[in-house]
Amino acid sequence: MADYDRRQSGGGYNNRKRRFRDDDEFDRRPQRRRYDAPLPVRIRKQLLGLAESPLRRWHEEVQSIAHVVADNYEDQELRTNFLDLVPQMVIEQPLKTPFVAAVVLVINSLKPDVLDELLARVATATEEKVKVGEWRDVKLYLKFLACLQSCLEGDGLFPLLEVLFSRAVDLQTASSDDTIGTELVKIILLTIPYIMATAPTQWQQKAAELMDKTDVIASEPHALQVLIDPYHPELGTDSPTANMSLIGLLQKQLQNEAINGWELSCLPRPWQMPLEEIEQQEKLDNAQKHTLPGISIPERVITGPRPLFPEIYFSVYLNQDIESVPPVSSIASSLIRDALLDTINILDFNRNATARFLIDVDCYFAPGTFIKRATPFDRLRDIEGDRSTWKPEDVAVDAVFSQLFALPTPEHKLVYYHSVLTESCKIAPAAVAPSLGRAIRYSYQNIHRLDLELSYRFLDWFTHHLSNFGFMWKWIEWVEDVNFPDMHPCKAFIIGALDKEIRLSFAQRIKGTLPEPYQVLIGPEKEQDTPEFKFNDDHTPFAEEGKELAALLKRKAPDEEIQPVIDRIHSAALDQSIDPLVSSTDVFMTAVCWVGSKSLSHVLACIERTKDRLLDAGAASEAARAQIITAVMAYWSAHPGVAISIVEKLLNYSIVTPGAVIDWALVSDRAGPYGQALSKAWVFELVLNTVVKVTGRLRQVVSSGMNEGAEEEVAAMRELFKGMEDALLSWAQGTKDQIMDPVVSDGGEDLVKRWGERWLRVFRRRSAIEEAFLLEQKAAAAASS
């Protein structure tokens, strides 16, 4: 304002006020040229934004797009864009399928020729996907065709579903372990509701006949179901998901819907116009019907690129006082979950778009399916009558957790699902954060009966998520658990979580986020970025040689200068009647760790320079191989994450073997006495990473078709799993020598046995999956020859 005043009184120049350019005949500022997007671009934008805003009415959006397309269908570019975009949206944005179908149905009432072209494209695409085993895409195309059932001649989609069922029966008859057959039944059961939503009374008989057939397969538990149950309850207790096979639930839910006249109250029906649009509704009801082009299903169907496993319905909001997600008795639980999972797994290239779809989930289902967004959980009690209490945020979070906790593995890397939850929390923190808090509490309270691999995944996500939000959590809720023994599942989780947090930050910062009782869990050694070099203490055996080796390594001395120091260690060790190779390996590897302690790249460079000597030491004896791992773990004992990274590099260089890592962690007591190693999250991480490395290498060799070396890889993998089985079985059965120690016997023995059982289940499953993979590869090779 001061600048303005000075400008008015400055020396009489231009000393008059100009208000709103009253004295100008026109605005001299350059005008921005108006740009009207071409019609095809506008239609594309409207179609892609369909149903995204709760402020726009469905029927108005649908009719607006349909009329423009029908009126301008002679425009070649618009026609091509539309015919390309519709099938693409069906695959990439599954939540919008009913709305896209509604646009097509209205177009059919205005210009029926469009539908012939579109059906031909979709039928061809479906047939191609069947041939290559892309079963999710097949399901999504059938879902779209199901929404168009009202404009199809004859029985519409039902004959195709009958053919799919006959293939499922053939596969199940050939092998009870077959998974393609159960996948086909799942596709059939997920398609039926969308057909029934178009005209419930017309297709009741056909649906009932088809469901009578699917009941035979859907009601029978799959042989692999026990292996992939997310819970591993203690002996004598039942798993919360014992009877929650997805196709079994679907079958029961659809039978309930049939009894209730196919209400399907959660599904949107954008093709049903409001009363004021009665003329348009009449056109839809009397629109031309079309023959569905033939879609051939080969006699022999294949699994496809994604391995298929039976699915179990998992929820982190089970057994709440008030339902905040659809109960498993409702078809809504399966239909909403299915659409969300397809969206999550298809849009893995854009976590922001995925998160936005999750937040907006209530836009894509019938009005009244969900309560208002961000309604506090405590307020659900105040909702009266038959109104829904389902929270859209809970349903979205539940869907992501079902993937985080999917066994044997989810479709994408776990970090993708981490990022989706992070983005969702950033987009709508007030709505999503409380839902996540309840999911965390449920998982923590059930940590003792969750599958051990899932417990580790939960720990990994929990710490990663906190790192994105200032490491803040209400630790005070779990403060009493700090007094449990370290082997108690809750205490083990807390210790593992704090260790991971320190990896993602630093000890002093993490201590600042914790209540007083937790402080003892972060010792002073964790606050040191670089551990002490034990040979700086003159009382340590071989201290002089240790310091000398460290100095030689630091100045990158040649091997000729290092060997005399090693010889001195051998000589002194023999004098003391201890293993000379183990002694020299310990001193040398500890020196390597100290010299490379500045960063991972430093230690890798140091290992690279000394690789030949370490390879010779590792090849000389099992004890020396074990000592290499012991030296790394001992030096980095306060920061096991760094130690694990170094051991993985040693595995890459073949300095240590996978068997040596397993023996070190599970057979000896080097990772912790009396079975304590089994409760340590970092030990599980070390073993799991080693197994994944071995099985990944095996799959790479077998899939490439290389016969040379494949048998050796298979034999090595089987030997590794056998070694693990023997070691873990003795812990699980309580026959391990260390478990007999009096320190463990006063109550700790049961904990050790329970940890052994949980470990055993994880790696038996891993072994079974790899054996199944080898059988599939063998069968595929036989079929191709």
Side-chain angles (χ1 to χ4, degrees), residues 58-67 70 98-112 115 147-153 197-199 202 269-290:
W58 289 341
H59 70 279
E60 289 174 359
E61 279 191 280
V62 165
Q63 287 187 83
S64 167
I65 297 168
H67 279 282
F99 305 96
V100 175
V103 170
V104 173
L105 288 170
V106 174
I107 291 174
N108 182 50
S109 70
L110 303 169
K111 197 172 186 65
L115 206 62
C147 292
L148 300 179
Q149 176 78 1
S150 61
C151 70
L152 299 179
E153 283 186 348
T198 60
Q202 187 177 350
R269 294 169 174 80
W271 47 79
Q272 291 183 358
M273 299 293 156
L275 291 173
E276 62 266 25
E277 298 284 353
I278 191 166
E279 188 179 333
Q280 179 61 61
Q281 188 65 56
E282 284 178 3
K283 286 182 183 177
L284 281 170
D285 295 340
N286 301 311
Q288 180 179 326
K289 292 191 181 292
H290 304 260

Side-chain angles (χ1 to χ4, degrees), residues 498-746:
L498 295 182
D499 173 58
K500 278 266 186 177
E501 284 196 349
I502 291 169
R503 287 194 220 177
L504 296 167
S505 182
F506 54 94
Q508 201 59 45
R509 182 178 179 200
I510 301 306
K511 281 183 94 168
T513 65
L514 298 171
E516 184 58 38
Y518 289 86
Q519 302 289 325
V520 294
L521 300 178
I522 301 179
E525 69 282 358
K526 286 189 176 290
E527 296 181 38
Q528 296 178 329
D529 291 335
T530 304
E532 292 289 339
F533 186 44
K534 68 178 181 179
F535 296 112
N536 283 338
D537 182 356
D538 293 334
H539 295 97
T540 306
F542 310 112
E544 187 182 336
E545 290 82 359
K547 284 184 277 192
E548 197 172 337
L549 273 178
L552 290 170
L553 289 169
K554 202 165 189 179
R555 67 178 178 84
K556 302 175 186 174
D559 197 55
E560 295 77 27
E561 292 185 42
I562 292 172
Q563 187 57 46
V565 184
I566 299 293
D567 292 339
R568 277 170 30 213
I569 296 172
H570 285 180
S571 176
L574 286 169
D575 292 344
Q576 297 173 37
S577 302
I578 54 177
D579 189 326
L581 193 55
V582 169
S583 302
S584 62
T585 302
D586 177 53
V587 176
F588 187 75
M589 195 64 221
T590 305
V592 168
C593 287
W594 181 74
V595 171
S597 60
K598 191 174 287 186
S599 70
L600 194 57
S601 57
H602 278 73
V603 78
L604 287 183
C606 202
I607 290 170
E608 182 69 45
R609 288 197 302 274
T610 58
K611 182 173 64 174
D612 293 339
R613 178 174 289 282
L614 289 171
L615 279 167
D616 292 342
S621 74
E622 284 187 18
R625 276 199 299 275
Q627 191 56 47
I628 291 173
I629 302 170
T630 301
V632 173
M633 291 295 180
Y635 182 78
W636 286 106
S637 59
H639 302 281
V642 178
I644 290 169
S645 298
I646 295 172
V647 171
E648 285 181 8
K649 301 305 177 189
L650 294 173
L651 277 167
N652 291 345
Y653 284 120
S654 300
I655 291 168
V656 297
T657 61
V661 174
I662 302 305
D663 285 348
W664 184 90
L666 300 179
V667 178
S668 70
D669 60 354
R670 293 186 183 93
Y674 316 125
Q676 290 172 19
L678 300 177
S679 68
K680 295 178 180 179
W682 64 265
V683 176
F684 182 80
E685 181 183 358
L686 174 67
V687 173
L688 182 65
N689 289 358
T690 304
V691 170
V692 168
K693 199 179 283 285
V694 170
T695 55
R697 168 68 184 159
L698 171 80
R699 285 176 177 250
Q700 190 181 355
V701 170
V702 173
S703 300
S704 65
M706 293 164 50
N707 292 324
E708 192 179 335
E711 289 302 317
E712 289 86 344
E713 292 286 347
V714 171
M717 181 200 76
R718 285 175 176 159
E719 188 182 343
L720 185 76
F721 277 121
K722 185 181 182 305
M724 295 181 72
E725 172 83 14
D726 294 342
L728 293 169
L729 198 58
S730 58
W731 285 116
Q733 294 178 345
T735 57
K736 189 83 171 172
D737 292 341
Q738 290 97 321
I739 212 170
M740 303 302 180
D741 191 280
V743 176
V744 185
S745 299
D746 58 349

Side-chain angles (χ1 to χ4, degrees), residues 38 114 159 179 285 301 350 444 703:
V114 179
T179 51
D285 295 340
V301 291
N350 191 334
Y444 179 78
S703 300

Side-chain angles (χ1 to χ4, degrees), residues 301-598:
V301 291
I302 61 172
T303 306
R306 286 194 300 123
L308 299 174
F309 291 94
E311 294 175 53
I312 289 176
Y313 189 90
F314 176 84
S315 173
V316 289
Y317 300 111
L318 282 175
N319 306 322
Q320 296 184 133
D321 299 341
I322 309 163
E323 289 173 356
S324 64
V325 294
V328 290
S329 58
S330 167
I331 188 66
S333 63
S334 297
L335 295 180
I336 297 172
R337 172 71 63 86
D338 178 63
L340 285 177
L341 292 190
D342 287 342
T343 302
I344 292 165
N345 286 321
I346 288 164
L347 293 178
D348 62 296
F349 52 85
N350 191 334
R351 65 180 187 274
N352 295 305
T354 306
R356 174 50 66 190
F357 274 120
L358 292 179
I359 297 301
D360 294 341
V361 62
D362 52 347
C363 292
Y364 306 108
F365 290 92
T369 301
F370 299 101
I371 56 168
K372 188 180 174 185
R373 295 181 199 178
T375 302
F377 183 75
D378 294 342
R379 294 272 302 278
L380 300 185
R381 301 177 197 281
D382 303 334
I383 293 172
E384 299 172 353
D386 296 332
R387 286 174 57 204
S388 170
T389 57
W390 302 343
K391 285 171 59 63
E393 309 84 25
D394 281 18
V395 171
V397 167
D398 215 17
V400 183
F401 265 84
S402 75
Q403 292 301 280
L404 268 177
F405 288 177
L407 287 173
T409 52
E411 185 174 338
H412 301 292
K413 289 184 177 179
L414 291 165
V415 72
Y416 165 62
Y417 303 104
H418 294 193
S419 67
V420 168
L421 288 172
T422 300
E423 291 303 324
S424 301
C425 223
K426 286 178 178 176
I427 292 171
V432 176
S435 295
L436 275 180
R438 283 184 293 111
I440 290 168
R441 291 179 185 96
Y442 174 86
S443 303
Y444 179 78
Q445 287 157 10
N446 289 277
I447 202 85
H448 62 287
R449 58 177 179 173
L450 264 182
D451 182 87
L452 184 60
E453 187 173 348
L454 299 187
S455 296
Y456 176 73
R457 284 190 206 167
F458 171 56
L459 183 150
D460 199 34
W461 167 76
F462 175 70
T463 49
H464 185 194
H465 189 76
L466 293 191
S467 73
N468 287 304
F469 297 96
F471 294 98
M472 300 311 293
W473 173 246
K474 294 179 180 176
W475 290 101
I476 199 72
E477 294 179 9
W478 302 340
V479 74
E480 291 180 6
D481 298 353
V482 175
N483 300 319
F484 284 142
D486 287 358
M487 290 196 71
H488 189 284
C490 291
K491 178 72 173 289
F493 174 85
I494 290 170
I495 293 170
L498 295 182
D499 173 58
K500 278 266 186 177
E501 284 196 349
I502 291 169
R503 287 194 220 177
L504 296 167
S505 182
F506 54 94
Q508 201 59 45
R509 182 178 179 200
I510 301 306
K511 281 183 94 168
T513 65
L514 298 171
E516 184 58 38
Y518 289 86
Q519 302 289 325
V520 294
L521 300 178
I522 301 179
E525 69 282 358
K526 286 189 176 290
E527 296 181 38
Q528 296 178 329
D529 291 335
T530 304
E532 292 289 339
F533 186 44
K534 68 178 181 179
F535 296 112
N536 283 338
D537 182 356
D538 293 334
H539 295 97
T540 306
F542 310 112
E544 187 182 336
E545 290 82 359
K547 284 184 277 192
E548 197 172 337
L549 273 178
L552 290 170
L553 289 169
K554 202 165 189 179
R555 67 178 178 84
K556 302 175 186 174
D559 197 55
E560 295 77 27
E561 292 185 42
I562 292 172
Q563 187 57 46
V565 184
I566 299 293
D567 292 339
R568 277 170 30 213
I569 296 172
H570 285 180
S571 176
L574 286 169
D575 292 344
Q576 297 173 37
S577 302
I578 54 177
D579 189 326
L581 193 55
V582 169
S583 302
S584 62
T585 302
D586 177 53
V587 176
F588 187 75
M589 195 64 221
T590 305
V592 168
C593 287
W594 181 74
V595 171
S597 60
K598 191 174 287 186

Side-chain angles (χ1 to χ4, degrees), residues 291-306:
T291 303
L292 178 66
I295 299 172
S296 68
I297 309 294
E299 290 292 327
R300 184 179 173 277
V301 291
I302 61 172
T303 306
R306 286 194 300 123

Side-chain angles (χ1 to χ4, degrees), residues 129-135 179-180 301-308 776-777:
K129 295 297 183 183
V130 169
K131 284 177 186 171
V132 296
E134 290 276 8
W135 296 111
T179 51
I180 309 176
V301 291
I302 61 172
T303 306
R306 286 194 300 123
L308 299 174
E776 281 174 20
Q777 291 294 313

